Amino acid sequence: MSEWWEDFFDDVWAAGGFGGAGLEARSAEVGYIWRRLKLRPGARLADVCCGIGRCALPLARRGVWVIGVDFCAAYLERARRRAAGASAEFLEADMRSTGLKSASFDAVLNWWTSFGYFTDEAENARALAEWARLLRPGGRLLMQLVNRDGIMADFRPRSGRVAPDGWLLVEDSEPDYHTGRLKTRWTWVSPQGQRHQRLVDLRLYTLHELVNLAAPHGLDLVCAHGNLLEKPAGREFTHMYVTFAKLDES
């Protein structure tokens, strides 16, 4: 039996998801990532779950050497076509086992709610362990993910929005308090009226849960924000932006 994420990321999501958010990350996103990861020209960055290269490409154009990692071959091919000579490479691999060299990166990025996919909690921890393995001592990991406290503070079982390019998205959600997961039926309607449905089954984390999950892998919390303006993470924000530093184990 396949997991939900194996079928979710297709042309529909590329059009209704990436399309609505723009093919490249906004300047505010890029600036935040640059500051929090302490990037500089020549730095080595692994963008894990890079998709079509929304973050990888603008960062590469700033002089960072980027390897984008994703399991979706079609998205990676789109990223390669758009790279246009930027200092970026794209690798098809599982986030839990990238095959990249240990301690070979100054920074690792996991952006846009790309964590908590796996039903087995040990597999989510395995992904964190892999990202920690890639970092040199003192290197940084930045994650952007859903904030469970914020979602549950004002939980709405149904929500909807219209993307700038005309796609309508309706989300019907049900929390599982036993597992900490949120199951959501996403319904997209294209500008031409075509309906598409997908199921998302995501593990939601509180900040303290994430910190405890990361600690055994040598990842120490640096800061946690609720938005790109660097307001402290809290229940008033539905997302959180969490930066860890890799401890020196010597």
Side-chain angles (χ1 to χ4, degrees):
M1 181 177 178
S2 63
E3 295 205 52
W4 68 267
W5 48 269
E6 295 180 76
D7 302 317
F8 184 91
F9 298 100
D10 57 10
D11 289 342
V12 173
W13 172 242
F18 290 128
L23 294 179
E24 293 201 359
R26 295 174 291 123
S27 60
E29 294 177 271
V30 176
Y32 180 90
I33 293 167
W34 189 271
R35 294 191 304 274
R36 296 275 58 87
L37 290 179
K38 294 188 173 182
L39 295 175
R40 64 192 186 285
R44 294 171 58 88
L45 168 70
D47 181 1
V48 183
C49 304
C50 67
I52 61 173
R54 276 190 78 249
C55 296
L57 294 177
L59 290 168
R61 293 188 185 112
R62 285 191 175 198
V64 175
W65 189 83
V66 184
I67 287 190
V69 178
D70 205 284
F71 81 99
C72 183
Y75 286 4
L76 292 170
E77 184 56 35
R78 291 184 63 174
R80 293 185 187 105
R81 290 199 303 266
R82 297 172 52 234
S87 56
E89 299 179 22
F90 295 94
L91 170 69
E92 183 178 351
D94 190 299
M95 70 169 81
R96 297 163 291 185
S97 181
T98 64
L100 296 169
K101 185 178 178 181
S102 297
S104 59
F105 289 89
D106 301 297
V108 172
L109 177 66
N110 179 249
W111 199 250
W112 217 10
T113 312
S114 299
F115 184 71
Y117 286 3
F118 306 111
T119 304
D120 185 345
E121 185 76 342
E123 293 302 292
N124 294 317
R126 182 182 164 200
L128 273 178
E130 173 68 358
W131 307 344
R133 183 186 67 80
L134 299 180
L135 285 171
R136 62 168 179 77
R140 290 190 167 198
L141 164 66
L142 172 58
M143 303 173 67
Q144 185 265 4
L145 66 167
V146 173
N147 172 16
R148 182 201 177 277
D149 285 344
I151 289 290
M152 299 314 299
D154 185 25
F155 180 71
R156 300 179 183 182
R158 168 165 282 201
S159 62
R161 62 182 182 272
V162 179
D165 53 5
W167 281 78
L168 170 66
L169 170 62
V170 177
E171 301 178 42
D172 293 290
S173 302
E174 181 179 358
D176 185 328
Y177 293 97
H178 177 67
T179 63
R181 304 188 74 85
L182 184 69
K183 297 182 179 181
T184 305
R185 175 74 62 183
W186 290 34
T187 303
W188 283 287
V189 182
S190 75
Q192 294 76 34
Q194 298 169 316
R195 293 172 62 89
H196 309 269
Q197 285 196 330
R198 300 288 187 276
L199 178 66
V200 177
D201 183 2
L202 191 67
R203 171 68 158 94
L204 303 186
Y205 290 91
T206 63
L207 178 57
H208 80 273
E209 284 181 312
L210 187 65
V211 169
N212 289 340
L213 195 65
H217 309 297
L219 295 169
D220 188 45
L221 179 68
V222 175
C223 61
H225 295 137
N227 61 16
L228 297 174
L229 299 177
E230 304 188 6
K231 298 294 184 181
R235 65 196 301 269
E236 65 270 33
F237 298 107
T238 57
H239 288 76
M240 55 185 175
Y241 303 76
V242 186
T243 305
F244 294 99
K246 176 66 178 297
L247 297 173
D248 188 347
E249 298 174 354
S250 61

